[in-house]
Amino acid sequence: MKIYKKQGDTIQIICSPEESMEKGDYLLIEDRKVNRGLIVQVVDIQFANLPGILEDILRDVITEGTVQGCDYDPFNISSQIAVLKDTKLLVCKIRGAIEDGKPKPDVSWLPSRTNSRIIPFPIERLTSSDVRKPVTIGKTKTNPLTVDVRMLDGRLNIITGRKGTGKSHLSKLLLLALIHNGAPCLVFDVNGEYVNIGVGKCNKPIDLAEKIKILVPGRNLKFTLDGVGLRSFLDTMIYALDLPRTSSKVFSRIWSELERCGNLNLNSLAETIRRFNCHESVREAINSRYHTILDLDLFTDDPASAFDFNYFQRKLNEGSAFIVNMRDQHSLSRRFIVELFLSKLTEQLSEMRLKAIFLFAEEAHFYLRETYWDDIVTRMRHLGIFTTFITNQPDTVQESVYRQADNIFMFNFTNENDLDAVSKVSKIDAESLRLIVKDLPAHNCLIVGDIVRDFPVVVNVKPLDVQTMGQTRKFFQD
Amino acid sequence: MTYRTHTIEFEHSKISRLLLEGSKDTLLPNFLLELSTESMRGLNGLGFKPRDLTEVEATLEEEVPEPPAIQLKDDNSIERPTPIGPASEKCPVVAVDVSSIRIGESEQGLLYSLRGAIVWRIGSSYNFTRCGPITFHLNDDMARSIVARRYSSEHVAYSTWSPVTERLLARLRNSLERWMQEIACSRIGDGIVLLDGSLTAGTPDNPAFYVEAILRKARKNGNRVMAFSKETRLCYSGRKITRLLEGISIPCILDIDRLIVPQFPSTPVRLMGRVYLAKLGWKSFPFRVDIDRQLSEEKSVDTFSLLMGSDLVEQGYPETLRLAHILSTFTANEVLAIQRYLSIEYGLKIMPRLSLRRSLFGPFGTCKEAS
């Protein structure tokens, strides 16, 4: 391999066909005279534009099929011609430098074209060094990629890619790694894909099974008014059910009155709304939303069968994971549950009753209200909600999330609109992202961000030993 | 005019021998292979200036410098061209072409490669055999070696030793071309053998006896030899003679033999072909075409029709000959491949190319590179 050109942060390298380079691979351009090296990543592979190649190919086209024959090539020059025809041009991006064997950020120098040696560079050497809480995500072209789970801590993460490329699989892998390391987790599971995460392939519970709690709304996820509290309930009424501000003030007064009398239950709430001295339109607004909530079958007056947020807080602090299975739930129900949990979490975190939580939000646009996106990126993050968004519709995630994301796990996208959306990510240049992501095979993922020390890495995500349940149900079975 | 719709059928047995594996060894003359190996042996570890391909890509083919034009006497009146059309009968058509290319230069000489192609037609499909490339390190030692090994009398036909490498190349190229033409002539029967150039011979670089041998062999097998010249030096009334067919759009031929014969003394240069101007398609290009002089005039004229019926004639040029040219010509990519082969095989050290003009005149040294 030889350096051909450098322009900006792009270096073009001429590479013989025998070298099996792929997009995402790392190379070290080692200038031994100065004992420095440039770390570059292959972002595109093209054919080298050699003089006369067009004539060669034209001749092949002219003669192919219609003209048959044989070559008597006594010195076997044709093998060299074949080599030249297939000579590759590697388009690489400079990712870092090495000086005296240590990584350096200074990439403002140029290695010698003639003296440099270009060799494949195992990037895991840099991304997997000093890992204290390791998790093996998969394999790069040559070695397993082990990263530090701590790099998800305090971070905003995105897992995105086309349908069926392995997003949920990776998010389960990260979730299990967090649980394994005692991190509190909450998963908003839209498709019921995580419910068997505690069960191994052999149908036996895995070691971490005890730490995983599955919540099914209406079944083991019901709330009491008292348990939820006015603030969370009101937030939900306002944000999930669009209760007007004036009506919300009246509702607060109703709630406070019932609390003062020690009579806060579903029947008395309904009764008080009916007889409370307020404008008829306000009453109607409150009443209709209250009945909507009742219809969702999420509330009970029986404290024994209700979900206990104190238990939730305690278990989280012990390092458990809660999976809220929102499959088959009405969209309103989803929004209500999410509002309620986020409101409760904010409350518990701000009162320092909960240290932090790792939130996994699958297809969040289905249940997350507009104002929450910025809130999650800024306020909630500072409180200790560290979110991982998982989506196959990247344009549904707000641009600010991409810009501020600390770790991005990208699976294949071919659609230009999708690529446009993900290219807003600030941790990698848009050109590299587009070129690599477009050609990623299924289960291969481009990881960018803190977790890989800002060296974008392509990894083949390893299989999991748990029941992943992510497959789409099909009518025609083989 | 294109005759693509014609069905052309041959007696396969007459030409299938060209495909025999056993014939491979005889496709290239041993003396050229030996000469190549011997000349390259001296190359080991030498410095090497590869040919710069970026500037000369468009003009890769080595064209031997064209000698001055030959003015034909215009005191004779010119006959009217004879219209021709494709014959109904078919015959096999074989074409031969050879190309040469400069690969670079060593400290002791120039490196050239040669390649030849024989193309023939079976049924409606074309077939080829391509030989080479074979590379030669042309220098004074090689010229001496040729004399010493008596190649001169047999094949390369040196009357005197020539120090000019270009002439050495012309002779080597001629040797390979004539060898392959002889193979083509002897391996088909009752067909047409198409050659590139003319049937004029008798110079040191192009000895007459070899052309004679080819024609003899062709006649023995019932073949008719036609040679197409893409460029001609012949001029009439101050203009290229091919312009005599200007303004005529139908396929036609014009016998110009009687204009040419008086121009050439019988020795040393000999016209071994009857010379025509031919336009073999509608609104096509005119070419000088030489046909074996020993064929009767009538048969010569018939040969044009036979060719039109037996081969595709695009823009007035036979397809087999066009393919032979395409297949033998070197592309820049192939030159690179040969350069790579040489540096690996002979451990050549690539030397920086010194441009005297650039060194002297800097950005104003825009003309040819000094080499």
Side-chain angles (χ1 to χ4, degrees):
Chain A
M1 284 187 272
K2 284 276 171 201
I3 299 177
Y4 172 53
K5 250 186 203 173
K6 181 193 177 286
Q7 201 163 28
D9 65 344
T10 305
I11 283 193
Q12 295 184 357
I13 291 170
I14 298 286
C15 166
S16 77
E18 292 97 49
E19 312 262 7
S20 62
M21 298 308 297
E22 288 173 17
K23 281 188 185 184
D25 288 353
Y26 274 86
L27 295 169
L28 177 66
I29 305 172
E30 200 178 22
D31 192 335
R32 282 174 288 183
K33 274 195 174 168
V34 290
N35 205 16
R36 292 169 104 182
L38 268 189
I39 301 168
V40 298
Q41 185 179 30
V42 179
V43 295
D44 199 15
I45 303 173
Q46 303 169 356
F47 284 115
N49 188 17
L50 300 167
I53 196 78
L54 179 65
E55 289 86 334
D56 253 11
I57 292 166
L58 273 177
R59 184 164 59 196
D60 290 349
V61 169
I62 290 168
T63 55
E64 202 174 57
T66 53
V67 186
Q68 291 170 348
C70 60
D71 271 304
Y72 175 42
D73 180 7
F75 300 104
N76 194 22
I77 306 279
S78 54
S79 63
Q80 301 292 335
I81 297 168
V83 167
L84 277 176
K85 270 187 190 171
D86 289 335
T87 298
K88 291 176 276 192
L89 180 78
L90 307 178
V91 181
C92 305
K93 289 279 178 188
I94 300 171
R95 301 287 187 220
I98 279 195
E99 206 172 320
D100 297 323
K102 289 175 189 161
K104 297 271 172 186
D106 176 24
V107 290
S108 57
W109 62 284
L110 198 58
S112 157
R113 233 182 193 170
T114 44
N115 299 326
S116 292
R117 187 177 69 144
I118 303 175
I119 49 169
F121 183 73
I123 197 63
E124 312 81 43
R125 201 187 291 172
L126 298 180
T127 57
S128 303
S129 65
D130 192 26
V131 171
R132 287 192 215 159
K133 292 193 184 296
V135 54
T136 301
I137 289 188
K139 224 182 139 199
T140 63
K141 197 171 148 194
T142 47
N143 298 306
L145 179 76
T146 302
V147 295
D148 199 336
V149 178
R150 292 181 309 147
M151 291 301 161
L152 297 173
D153 194 5
R155 267 62 169 201
L156 176 65
N157 315 302
I158 302 172
I159 302 175
T160 186
R162 254 185 329 126
K163 243 164 115 181
T165 47
K167 300 178 300 295
S168 303
H169 181 92
L170 176 66
S171 81
K172 282 166 203 157
L173 191 150
L174 296 176
L175 177 66
L176 286 170
L178 286 165
I179 300 169
H180 178 76
N181 285 285
C185 301
L186 174 65
V187 181
F188 292 132
D189 182 7
V190 177
N191 300 312
E193 289 178 49
Y194 295 74
V195 290
N196 281 339
I197 198 171
V199 185
K201 288 257 157 106
C202 51
N203 280 327
K204 286 183 183 165
I206 60 168
D207 293 344
L208 299 170
E210 292 225 328
K211 287 184 155 189
I212 300 167
K213 319 284 175 203
I214 311 294
L215 302 175
V216 183
R219 209 179 300 162
N220 65 347
L221 185 63
K222 282 196 172 190
F223 311 100
T224 59
L225 294 175
D226 193 33
V228 171
L230 172 63
R231 193 167 151 192
S232 300
F233 197 91
L234 200 59
D235 277 356
T236 311
M237 293 276 272
I238 295 168
Y239 297 118
L241 302 172
D242 300 321
L243 183 72
R245 287 279 164 189
T246 336
S247 308
S248 69
K249 280 179 191 162
V250 175
F251 185 78
S252 293
R253 292 216 311 270
I254 295 171
W255 185 287
S256 303
E257 194 181 302
L258 287 171
E259 251 184 345
R260 201 174 55 247
C261 307
N263 194 23
L264 186 63
N265 60 55
L266 293 171
N267 284 335
S268 57
L269 185 58
E271 181 56 28
T272 314
I273 293 169
R274 197 174 56 78
R275 64 168 176 76
F276 201 75
N277 185 19
C278 62
H279 193 276
E280 207 47 43
S281 61
V282 172
R283 188 195 317 284
E284 186 47 43
I286 296 170
N287 202 36
S288 63
R289 279 153 184 93
Y290 176 70
H291 280 99
T292 304
I293 290 172
L294 282 188
D295 289 346
L296 295 176
D297 196 24
L298 291 173
F299 278 87
T300 176
D301 281 332
D302 175 17
S305 62
F307 182 71
D308 181 359
F309 276 104
N310 289 325
Y311 165 82
F312 172 66
Q313 174 202 312
R314 198 171 61 249
K315 281 293 166 189
L316 285 177
N317 280 330
E318 287 170 8
S320 286
F322 286 87
I323 291 157
V324 185
N325 179 5
M326 299 197 289
R327 185 181 173 159
D328 302 329
Q329 290 293 310
H330 191 275
S331 63
L332 202 59
S333 173
R334 285 178 187 167
R335 286 184 68 186
F336 189 89
I337 292 164
V338 171
E339 282 290 343
L340 205 55
F341 268 98
L342 287 180
S343 177
K344 266 288 166 197
L345 284 173
T346 313
E347 188 185 303
Q348 290 171 341
L349 287 163
S350 49
E351 289 167 10
M352 300 299 281
R353 284 189 279 142
L354 194 60
K355 207 171 159 191
I357 188 161
F358 293 86
L359 179 70
F360 284 75
E362 281 245 11
E363 306 301 349
H365 59 283
F366 283 138
Y367 47 78
L368 211 60
R369 70 177 148 90
E370 286 288 302
T371 51
Y372 257 141
W373 292 102
D374 282 333
D375 219 19
I376 281 177
V377 175
T378 55
R379 190 174 69 90
M380 290 192 184
R381 194 173 176 187
H382 289 115
L383 283 173
I385 298 178
F386 311 136
T387 313
T388 299
F389 289 107
I390 304 124
T391 183
N392 57 26
Q393 297 178 55
D395 52 345
T396 60
V397 177
Q398 287 199 352
E399 194 177 320
S400 58
V401 177
Y402 286 111
R403 289 201 184 282
Q404 303 216 30
D406 301 291
N407 296 302
I408 304 104
F409 303 85
M410 266 167 291
F411 289 85
N412 177 273
F413 274 123
T414 43
N415 183 283
E416 285 298 323
N417 289 334
D418 292 337
L419 288 165
D420 276 346
V422 290
S423 62
K424 307 269 175 13
V425 164
S426 59
K427 294 262 179 180
I428 185 172
D429 60 285
E431 187 192 0
S432 301
L433 186 145
R434 282 172 169 275
L435 290 169
I436 296 176
V437 167
K438 253 186 171 181
D439 290 340
L440 282 175
H443 309 296
N444 279 252
C445 161
L446 171 69
I447 307 177
V448 182
D450 299 346
I451 200 161
V452 283
R453 312 273 160 91
D454 286 325
F455 288 102
V457 180
V458 173
V459 64
N460 180 261
V461 182
K462 72 169 189 184
L464 279 175
D465 210 17
V466 296
Q467 293 187 7
T468 44
M469 294 267 299
Q471 291 85 4
T472 308
R473 189 163 63 181
K474 286 175 182 165
F475 176 76
F476 295 108
Q477 301 291 342
D478 289 331
Chain B
M1 188 171 185
T2 308
Y3 298 98
R4 281 205 184 280
T5 52
H6 287 191
T7 308
I8 298 167
E9 287 168 1
F10 301 138
E11 287 180 61
H12 288 197
S13 58
K14 286 183 181 172
I15 47 179
S16 59
R17 275 179 296 153
L18 277 168
L19 291 168
L20 289 178
E21 280 295 308
S23 64
K24 266 192 169 183
D25 293 339
T26 55
L27 284 170
L28 277 173
N30 270 335
F31 74 90
L32 276 185
L33 287 173
E34 282 169 20
L35 210 54
S36 162
T37 311
E38 195 177 303
S39 73
M40 301 301 285
R41 208 171 284 146
L43 256 184
N44 269 322
L46 288 183
F48 174 56
K49 281 185 197 164
R51 180 176 188 173
D52 183 3
L53 297 166
T54 50
E55 291 172 11
V56 290
E57 204 180 322
T59 55
L60 260 186
E61 191 167 5
E62 297 303 328
E63 294 290 353
V64 178
E66 205 176 295
I70 300 166
Q71 291 292 340
L72 301 179
K73 284 183 185 163
D74 54 0
D75 46 2
N76 293 324
S77 61
I78 300 287
E79 284 178 17
R80 290 172 70 88
T82 314
I84 49 160
S88 53
E89 71 266 39
K90 324 282 179 200
C91 73
V93 181
V94 179
V96 180
D97 199 9
V98 167
S99 291
S100 61
I101 190 87
R102 183 165 60 84
I103 303 299
E105 48 197 278
S106 76
E107 292 159 283
Q108 292 170 4
L110 295 171
L111 286 144
Y112 278 88
S113 284
L114 298 179
R115 182 165 62 191
I118 303 175
V119 178
W120 68 100
R121 194 172 162 144
I122 298 177
S124 58
S125 70
Y126 289 93
N127 299 271
F128 73 89
T129 295
R130 190 160 52 167
C131 308
I134 44 175
T135 307
F136 298 92
H137 185 208
L138 305 183
N139 53 25
D140 293 353
D141 286 347
M142 189 198 179
R144 279 189 213 101
S145 159
I146 289 169
V147 176
R149 294 184 66 166
R150 290 205 215 157
Y151 287 130
S152 53
S153 59
E154 285 179 48
H155 302 287
V156 189
Y158 279 89
S159 49
T160 53
W161 170 69
S162 163
V164 185
T165 45
E166 274 80 8
R167 295 195 64 192
L168 204 57
L169 170 76
R171 291 172 192 194
L172 290 169
R173 179 179 165 149
N174 188 266
S175 301
L176 177 62
E177 197 159 18
R178 298 303 182 208
W179 178 276
M180 293 183 80
Q181 287 167 357
E182 196 177 333
I183 290 172
C185 290
S186 58
R187 293 203 183 173
I188 66 161
D190 301 326
I192 297 174
V193 178
L194 299 174
L195 311 180
D196 182 43
S198 70
L199 291 178
T200 304
T203 62
D205 299 338
N206 182 16
F209 79 88
Y210 214 58
V211 181
E212 262 173 5
I214 288 164
L215 293 173
R216 230 182 359 255
K217 211 155 256 179
R219 284 176 217 128
K220 198 178 149 194
N221 290 301
N223 295 319
R224 308 171 191 198
V225 177
M226 295 177 93
F228 277 73
S229 302
K230 291 185 286 294
E231 284 291 328
T232 178
R233 295 185 289 135
L234 301 176
C235 291
Y236 184 82
S237 295
R239 301 165 77 198
K240 285 243 173 182
I241 197 158
T242 46
R243 300 188 77 169
L244 288 174
L245 295 186
E246 240 178 28
I248 301 170
S249 49
I250 58 164
C252 60
I253 55 168
L254 180 64
D255 187 342
I256 53 166
D257 198 54
R258 61 189 178 79
L259 299 177
I260 298 167
V261 172
Q263 299 287 316
F264 290 91
S266 55
T267 53
V269 176
R270 290 170 57 195
L271 284 171
M272 289 190 246
R274 191 187 305 275
V275 186
Y276 292 89
L277 290 181
K279 226 178 199 186
L280 299 183
W282 279 88
K283 294 183 179 173
S284 61
F285 296 120
F287 295 95
R288 171 192 162 168
V289 181
D290 292 18
I291 295 188
D292 182 5
R293 186 169 287 280
Q294 288 206 11
L295 292 179
S296 66
E297 208 173 324
E298 191 186 356
K299 211 168 178 183
S300 295
V301 175
D302 284 349
T303 307
F304 285 104
S305 299
L306 193 58
L307 175 67
M308 287 168 75
S310 307
D311 195 11
L312 298 175
V313 188
E314 281 249 36
Q315 295 171 308
Y317 202 71
E319 183 69 5
T320 40
L321 195 53
R322 193 177 75 95
L323 285 171
H325 178 79
I326 288 172
L327 287 165
S328 66
T329 302
F330 290 93
T331 65
N333 190 37
E334 288 171 331
V335 176
L336 262 178
I338 297 167
Q339 288 172 344
R340 187 171 189 261
Y341 164 80
L342 294 178
S343 27
I344 294 169
E345 192 69 19
Y346 297 100
L348 299 180
K349 296 177 205 118
I350 308 287
M351 285 156 53
R353 177 168 282 272
L354 170 71
S355 167
L356 205 52
R357 282 182 168 274
R358 289 269 178 210
S359 303
L360 290 174
F361 309 126
F364 306 102
T366 50
C367 263
K368 281 184 184 175
E369 266 198 344
S371 53

